[in-house]
mmCIF file with all atom_site columns, all heavy atoms in Angstrom:
data_model
loop_
_atom_site.group_PDB
_atom_site.id
_atom_site.type_symbol
_atom_site.label_atom_id
_atom_site.label_alt_id
_atom_site.label_comp_id
_atom_site.label_asym_id
_atom_site.label_entity_id
_atom_site.label_seq_id
_atom_site.pdbx_PDB_ins_code
_atom_site.Cartn_x
_atom_site.Cartn_y
_atom_site.Cartn_z
_atom_site.occupancy
_atom_site.B_iso_or_equiv
_atom_site.pdbx_formal_charge
_atom_site.auth_seq_id
_atom_site.auth_comp_id
_atom_site.auth_asym_id
_atom_site.auth_atom_id
_atom_site.pdbx_PDB_model_num
ATOM 1   N N   . GLY A 1 313 ? -101.958 76.895 80.932  1.00 0.00 ? 313 GLY A N   1
ATOM 2   C CA  . GLY A 1 313 ? -102.345 76.988 82.419  1.00 0.00 ? 313 GLY A CA  1
ATOM 3   C C   . GLY A 1 313 ? -101.696 75.916 83.200  1.00 0.00 ? 313 GLY A C   1
ATOM 4   O O   . GLY A 1 313 ? -101.435 74.802 82.737  1.00 0.00 ? 313 GLY A O   1
ATOM 5   N N   . ILE A 1 314 ? -101.318 76.207 84.500  1.00 0.00 ? 314 ILE A N   1
ATOM 6   C CA  . ILE A 1 314 ? -100.844 75.295 85.333  1.00 0.00 ? 314 ILE A CA  1
ATOM 7   C C   . ILE A 1 314 ? -101.669 75.338 86.663  1.00 0.00 ? 314 ILE A C   1
ATOM 8   O O   . ILE A 1 314 ? -101.742 76.369 87.311  1.00 0.00 ? 314 ILE A O   1
ATOM 9   C CB  . ILE A 1 314 ? -99.284  75.487 85.779  1.00 0.00 ? 314 ILE A CB  1
ATOM 10  C CG1 . ILE A 1 314 ? -98.464  75.355 84.492  1.00 0.00 ? 314 ILE A CG1 1
ATOM 11  C CG2 . ILE A 1 314 ? -98.843  74.526 86.750  1.00 0.00 ? 314 ILE A CG2 1
ATOM 12  C CD1 . ILE A 1 314 ? -96.933  75.513 84.731  1.00 0.00 ? 314 ILE A CD1 1
ATOM 13  N N   . ALA A 1 315 ? -102.281 74.263 86.974  1.00 0.00 ? 315 ALA A N   1
ATOM 14  C CA  . ALA A 1 315 ? -102.997 74.003 88.230  1.00 0.00 ? 315 ALA A CA  1
ATOM 15  C C   . ALA A 1 315 ? -102.065 73.294 89.238  1.00 0.00 ? 315 ALA A C   1
ATOM 16  O O   . ALA A 1 315 ? -101.574 72.284 88.836  1.00 0.00 ? 315 ALA A O   1
ATOM 17  C CB  . ALA A 1 315 ? -104.307 73.294 88.120  1.00 0.00 ? 315 ALA A CB  1
ATOM 18  N N   . VAL A 1 316 ? -101.779 73.954 90.500  1.00 0.00 ? 316 VAL A N   1
ATOM 19  C CA  . VAL A 1 316 ? -100.983 73.333 91.323  1.00 0.00 ? 316 VAL A CA  1
ATOM 20  C C   . VAL A 1 316 ? -101.794 72.871 92.551  1.00 0.00 ? 316 VAL A C   1
ATOM 21  O O   . VAL A 1 316 ? -102.414 73.714 93.165  1.00 0.00 ? 316 VAL A O   1
ATOM 22  C CB  . VAL A 1 316 ? -99.871  74.202 91.870  1.00 0.00 ? 316 VAL A CB  1
ATOM 23  C CG1 . VAL A 1 316 ? -98.889  73.468 92.867  1.00 0.00 ? 316 VAL A CG1 1
ATOM 24  C CG2 . VAL A 1 316 ? -99.071  74.681 90.635  1.00 0.00 ? 316 VAL A CG2 1
ATOM 25  N N   . LEU A 1 317 ? -101.784 71.612 92.831  1.00 0.00 ? 317 LEU A N   1
ATOM 26  C CA  . LEU A 1 317 ? -102.599 71.122 93.973  1.00 0.00 ? 317 LEU A CA  1
ATOM 27  C C   . LEU A 1 317 ? -101.648 70.838 95.067  1.00 0.00 ? 317 LEU A C   1
ATOM 28  O O   . LEU A 1 317 ? -100.573 70.134 95.023  1.00 0.00 ? 317 LEU A O   1
ATOM 29  C CB  . LEU A 1 317 ? -103.236 69.751 93.481  1.00 0.00 ? 317 LEU A CB  1
ATOM 30  C CG  . LEU A 1 317 ? -104.235 69.106 94.537  1.00 0.00 ? 317 LEU A CG  1
ATOM 31  C CD1 . LEU A 1 317 ? -105.143 68.146 93.738  1.00 0.00 ? 317 LEU A CD1 1
ATOM 32  C CD2 . LEU A 1 317 ? -103.634 68.344 95.702  1.00 0.00 ? 317 LEU A CD2 1
ATOM 33  N N   . ASP A 1 318 ? -101.948 71.580 96.233  1.00 0.00 ? 318 ASP A N   1
ATOM 34  C CA  . ASP A 1 318 ? -101.163 71.360 97.427  1.00 0.00 ? 318 ASP A CA  1
ATOM 35  C C   . ASP A 1 318 ? -102.009 70.706 98.489  1.00 0.00 ? 318 ASP A C   1
ATOM 36  O O   . ASP A 1 318 ? -103.118 71.043 98.742  1.00 0.00 ? 318 ASP A O   1
ATOM 37  C CB  . ASP A 1 318 ? -100.795 72.843 97.995  1.00 0.00 ? 318 ASP A CB  1
ATOM 38  C CG  . ASP A 1 318 ? -99.423  73.216 97.472  1.00 0.00 ? 318 ASP A CG  1
ATOM 39  O OD1 . ASP A 1 318 ? -98.357  72.632 97.992  1.00 0.00 ? 318 ASP A OD1 1
ATOM 40  O OD2 . ASP A 1 318 ? -99.347  74.102 96.573  1.00 0.00 ? 318 ASP A OD2 1
ATOM 41  N N   . ARG A 1 319 ? -101.419 69.690 99.104  1.00 0.00 ? 319 ARG A N   1
ATOM 42  C CA  . ARG A 1 319 ? -102.036 68.960 100.234 1.00 0.00 ? 319 ARG A CA  1
ATOM 43  C C   . ARG A 1 319 ? -101.536 69.500 101.507 1.00 0.00 ? 319 ARG A C   1
ATOM 44  O O   . ARG A 1 319 ? -101.383 68.788 102.501 1.00 0.00 ? 319 ARG A O   1
ATOM 45  C CB  . ARG A 1 319 ? -101.771 67.474 99.997  1.00 0.00 ? 319 ARG A CB  1
ATOM 46  C CG  . ARG A 1 319 ? -102.826 66.640 100.601 1.00 0.00 ? 319 ARG A CG  1
ATOM 47  C CD  . ARG A 1 319 ? -102.887 65.320 100.123 1.00 0.00 ? 319 ARG A CD  1
ATOM 48  N NE  . ARG A 1 319 ? -104.166 64.723 100.532 1.00 0.00 ? 319 ARG A NE  1
ATOM 49  C CZ  . ARG A 1 319 ? -104.763 63.554 99.913  1.00 0.00 ? 319 ARG A CZ  1
ATOM 50  N NH1 . ARG A 1 319 ? -104.140 62.978 99.024  1.00 0.00 ? 319 ARG A NH1 1
ATOM 51  N NH2 . ARG A 1 319 ? -105.943 63.206 100.319 1.00 0.00 ? 319 ARG A NH2 1
ATOM 52  N N   . SER A 1 320 ? -101.252 70.820 101.539 1.00 0.00 ? 320 SER A N   1
ATOM 53  C CA  . SER A 1 320 ? -100.828 71.468 102.702 1.00 0.00 ? 320 SER A CA  1
ATOM 54  C C   . SER A 1 320 ? -101.007 72.959 102.508 1.00 0.00 ? 320 SER A C   1
ATOM 55  O O   . SER A 1 320 ? -101.286 73.336 101.274 1.00 0.00 ? 320 SER A O   1
ATOM 56  C CB  . SER A 1 320 ? -99.309  71.227 103.084 1.00 0.00 ? 320 SER A CB  1
ATOM 57  O OG  . SER A 1 320 ? -98.515  71.772 102.117 1.00 0.00 ? 320 SER A OG  1
ATOM 58  N N   . TYR A 1 321 ? -100.794 73.768 103.397 1.00 0.00 ? 321 TYR A N   1
ATOM 59  C CA  . TYR A 1 321 ? -100.944 75.252 103.270 1.00 0.00 ? 321 TYR A CA  1
ATOM 60  C C   . TYR A 1 321 ? -99.915  75.941 104.080 1.00 0.00 ? 321 TYR A C   1
ATOM 61  O O   . TYR A 1 321 ? -99.663  75.572 105.243 1.00 0.00 ? 321 TYR A O   1
ATOM 62  C CB  . TYR A 1 321 ? -102.312 75.731 103.663 1.00 0.00 ? 321 TYR A CB  1
ATOM 63  C CG  . TYR A 1 321 ? -102.646 77.185 103.376 1.00 0.00 ? 321 TYR A CG  1
ATOM 64  C CD1 . TYR A 1 321 ? -102.687 77.566 102.011 1.00 0.00 ? 321 TYR A CD1 1
ATOM 65  C CD2 . TYR A 1 321 ? -102.733 78.015 104.369 1.00 0.00 ? 321 TYR A CD2 1
ATOM 66  C CE1 . TYR A 1 321 ? -102.926 78.878 101.781 1.00 0.00 ? 321 TYR A CE1 1
ATOM 67  C CE2 . TYR A 1 321 ? -102.959 79.463 104.090 1.00 0.00 ? 321 TYR A CE2 1
ATOM 68  C CZ  . TYR A 1 321 ? -102.986 79.891 102.751 1.00 0.00 ? 321 TYR A CZ  1
ATOM 69  O OH  . TYR A 1 321 ? -103.291 81.188 102.523 1.00 0.00 ? 321 TYR A OH  1
ATOM 70  N N   . THR A 1 322 ? -99.240  76.953 103.489 1.00 0.00 ? 322 THR A N   1
ATOM 71  C CA  . THR A 1 322 ? -98.260  77.798 104.206 1.00 0.00 ? 322 THR A CA  1
ATOM 72  C C   . THR A 1 322 ? -98.941  79.043 104.525 1.00 0.00 ? 322 THR A C   1
ATOM 73  O O   . THR A 1 322 ? -99.157  79.890 103.720 1.00 0.00 ? 322 THR A O   1
ATOM 74  C CB  . THR A 1 322 ? -97.058  77.929 103.280 1.00 0.00 ? 322 THR A CB  1
ATOM 75  O OG1 . THR A 1 322 ? -96.454  76.692 102.945 1.00 0.00 ? 322 THR A OG1 1
ATOM 76  C CG2 . THR A 1 322 ? -96.009  78.777 103.996 1.00 0.00 ? 322 THR A CG2 1
ATOM 77  N N   . PHE A 1 323 ? -99.330  79.193 105.874 1.00 0.00 ? 323 PHE A N   1
ATOM 78  C CA  . PHE A 1 323 ? -100.179 80.290 106.236 1.00 0.00 ? 323 PHE A CA  1
ATOM 79  C C   . PHE A 1 323 ? -99.498  81.654 106.010 1.00 0.00 ? 323 PHE A C   1
ATOM 80  O O   . PHE A 1 323 ? -98.302  81.879 106.196 1.00 0.00 ? 323 PHE A O   1
ATOM 81  C CB  . PHE A 1 323 ? -100.551 80.152 107.764 1.00 0.00 ? 323 PHE A CB  1
ATOM 82  C CG  . PHE A 1 323 ? -101.460 78.913 107.946 1.00 0.00 ? 323 PHE A CG  1
ATOM 83  C CD1 . PHE A 1 323 ? -100.954 77.687 108.308 1.00 0.00 ? 323 PHE A CD1 1
ATOM 84  C CD2 . PHE A 1 323 ? -102.825 79.135 107.807 1.00 0.00 ? 323 PHE A CD2 1
ATOM 85  C CE1 . PHE A 1 323 ? -101.767 76.676 108.449 1.00 0.00 ? 323 PHE A CE1 1
ATOM 86  C CE2 . PHE A 1 323 ? -103.709 78.029 107.968 1.00 0.00 ? 323 PHE A CE2 1
ATOM 87  C CZ  . PHE A 1 323 ? -103.190 76.839 108.331 1.00 0.00 ? 323 PHE A CZ  1
ATOM 88  N N   . GLY A 1 324 ? -100.278 82.495 105.368 1.00 0.00 ? 324 GLY A N   1
ATOM 89  C CA  . GLY A 1 324 ? -99.648  83.804 105.083 1.00 0.00 ? 324 GLY A CA  1
ATOM 90  C C   . GLY A 1 324 ? -99.228  83.938 103.623 1.00 0.00 ? 324 GLY A C   1
ATOM 91  O O   . GLY A 1 324 ? -98.846  84.989 103.174 1.00 0.00 ? 324 GLY A O   1
ATOM 92  N N   . ALA A 1 325 ? -99.108  82.780 102.978 1.00 0.00 ? 325 ALA A N   1
ATOM 93  C CA  . ALA A 1 325 ? -98.725  82.761 101.594 1.00 0.00 ? 325 ALA A CA  1
ATOM 94  C C   . ALA A 1 325 ? -99.671  81.962 100.755 1.00 0.00 ? 325 ALA A C   1
ATOM 95  O O   . ALA A 1 325 ? -100.716 82.340 100.417 1.00 0.00 ? 325 ALA A O   1
ATOM 96  C CB  . ALA A 1 325 ? -97.260  82.225 101.499 1.00 0.00 ? 325 ALA A CB  1
ATOM 97  N N   . ALA A 1 326 ? -99.240  80.730 100.344 1.00 0.00 ? 326 ALA A N   1
ATOM 98  C CA  . ALA A 1 326 ? -99.993  79.847 99.486  1.00 0.00 ? 326 ALA A CA  1
ATOM 99  C C   . ALA A 1 326 ? -99.452  78.317 99.776  1.00 0.00 ? 326 ALA A C   1
ATOM 100 O O   . ALA A 1 326 ? -98.617  78.235 100.660 1.00 0.00 ? 326 ALA A O   1
ATOM 101 C CB  . ALA A 1 326 ? -99.972  80.197 98.033  1.00 0.00 ? 326 ALA A CB  1
ATOM 102 N N   . GLY A 1 327 ? -99.946  77.435 98.904  1.00 0.00 ? 327 GLY A N   1
ATOM 103 C CA  . GLY A 1 327 ? -99.339  76.189 99.165  1.00 0.00 ? 327 GLY A CA  1
ATOM 104 C C   . GLY A 1 327 ? -97.891  76.229 98.680  1.00 0.00 ? 327 GLY A C   1
ATOM 105 O O   . GLY A 1 327 ? -97.587  76.949 97.643  1.00 0.00 ? 327 GLY A O   1
ATOM 106 N N   . ALA A 1 328 ? -96.969  75.491 99.393  1.00 0.00 ? 328 ALA A N   1
ATOM 107 C CA  . ALA A 1 328 ? -95.579  75.600 99.069  1.00 0.00 ? 328 ALA A CA  1
ATOM 108 C C   . ALA A 1 328 ? -95.191  74.999 97.609  1.00 0.00 ? 328 ALA A C   1
ATOM 109 O O   . ALA A 1 328 ? -94.323  75.549 96.957  1.00 0.00 ? 328 ALA A O   1
ATOM 110 C CB  . ALA A 1 328 ? -94.711  74.871 100.112 1.00 0.00 ? 328 ALA A CB  1
ATOM 111 N N   . MET A 1 329 ? -95.881  73.969 97.182  1.00 0.00 ? 329 MET A N   1
ATOM 112 C CA  . MET A 1 329 ? -95.707  73.462 95.886  1.00 0.00 ? 329 MET A CA  1
ATOM 113 C C   . MET A 1 329 ? -96.020  74.545 94.856  1.00 0.00 ? 329 MET A C   1
ATOM 114 O O   . MET A 1 329 ? -95.340  74.659 93.820  1.00 0.00 ? 329 MET A O   1
ATOM 115 C CB  . MET A 1 329 ? -96.585  72.195 95.639  1.00 0.00 ? 329 MET A CB  1
ATOM 116 C CG  . MET A 1 329 ? -96.391  71.127 96.587  1.00 0.00 ? 329 MET A CG  1
ATOM 117 S SD  . MET A 1 329 ? -95.226  69.821 95.990  1.00 0.00 ? 329 MET A SD  1
ATOM 118 C CE  . MET A 1 329 ? -95.100  68.838 97.301  1.00 0.00 ? 329 MET A CE  1
ATOM 119 N N   . PHE A 1 330 ? -97.085  75.285 95.103  1.00 0.00 ? 330 PHE A N   1
ATOM 120 C CA  . PHE A 1 330 ? -97.468  76.376 94.254  1.00 0.00 ? 330 PHE A CA  1
ATOM 121 C C   . PHE A 1 330 ? -96.351  77.514 94.170  1.00 0.00 ? 330 PHE A C   1
ATOM 122 O O   . PHE A 1 330 ? -95.981  77.838 93.032  1.00 0.00 ? 330 PHE A O   1
ATOM 123 C CB  . PHE A 1 330 ? -98.784  77.001 94.675  1.00 0.00 ? 330 PHE A CB  1
ATOM 124 C CG  . PHE A 1 330 ? -99.265  78.099 93.791  1.00 0.00 ? 330 PHE A CG  1
ATOM 125 C CD1 . PHE A 1 330 ? -99.614  77.881 92.493  1.00 0.00 ? 330 PHE A CD1 1
ATOM 126 C CD2 . PHE A 1 330 ? -99.320  79.417 94.319  1.00 0.00 ? 330 PHE A CD2 1
ATOM 127 C CE1 . PHE A 1 330 ? -100.031 79.000 91.661  1.00 0.00 ? 330 PHE A CE1 1
ATOM 128 C CE2 . PHE A 1 330 ? -99.852  80.572 93.669  1.00 0.00 ? 330 PHE A CE2 1
ATOM 129 C CZ  . PHE A 1 330 ? -100.085 80.294 92.220  1.00 0.00 ? 330 PHE A CZ  1
ATOM 130 N N   . THR A 1 331 ? -95.938  78.075 95.301  1.00 0.00 ? 331 THR A N   1
ATOM 131 C CA  . THR A 1 331 ? -95.126  79.214 95.360  1.00 0.00 ? 331 THR A CA  1
ATOM 132 C C   . THR A 1 331 ? -93.814  78.789 94.651  1.00 0.00 ? 331 THR A C   1
ATOM 133 O O   . THR A 1 331 ? -93.115  79.561 93.891  1.00 0.00 ? 331 THR A O   1
ATOM 134 C CB  . THR A 1 331 ? -94.771  79.733 96.634  1.00 0.00 ? 331 THR A CB  1
ATOM 135 O OG1 . THR A 1 331 ? -94.416  78.594 97.602  1.00 0.00 ? 331 THR A OG1 1
ATOM 136 C CG2 . THR A 1 331 ? -96.009  80.357 97.318  1.00 0.00 ? 331 THR A CG2 1
ATOM 137 N N   . GLU A 1 332 ? -93.366  77.497 94.774  1.00 0.00 ? 332 GLU A N   1
ATOM 138 C CA  . GLU A 1 332 ? -92.106  77.226 94.189  1.00 0.00 ? 332 GLU A CA  1
ATOM 139 C C   . GLU A 1 332 ? -92.192  76.932 92.698  1.00 0.00 ? 332 GLU A C   1
ATOM 140 O O   . GLU A 1 332 ? -91.307  77.245 91.893  1.00 0.00 ? 332 GLU A O   1
ATOM 141 C CB  . GLU A 1 332 ? -91.569  75.884 94.985  1.00 0.00 ? 332 GLU A CB  1
ATOM 142 C CG  . GLU A 1 332 ? -91.443  76.099 96.407  1.00 0.00 ? 332 GLU A CG  1
ATOM 143 C CD  . GLU A 1 332 ? -90.109  75.736 96.946  1.00 0.00 ? 332 GLU A CD  1
ATOM 144 O OE1 . GLU A 1 332 ? -89.283  75.242 96.285  1.00 0.00 ? 332 GLU A OE1 1
ATOM 145 O OE2 . GLU A 1 332 ? -89.950  75.992 98.201  1.00 0.00 ? 332 GLU A OE2 1
#
Side-chain angles (χ1 to χ4, degrees):
Chain A
I314 298 180
V316 181
L317 190 156
D318 268 286
R319 206 157 197 162
S320 69
Y321 184 69
T322 299
F323 292 93
M329 301 263 176
F330 176 68
T331 51
E332 304 232 355

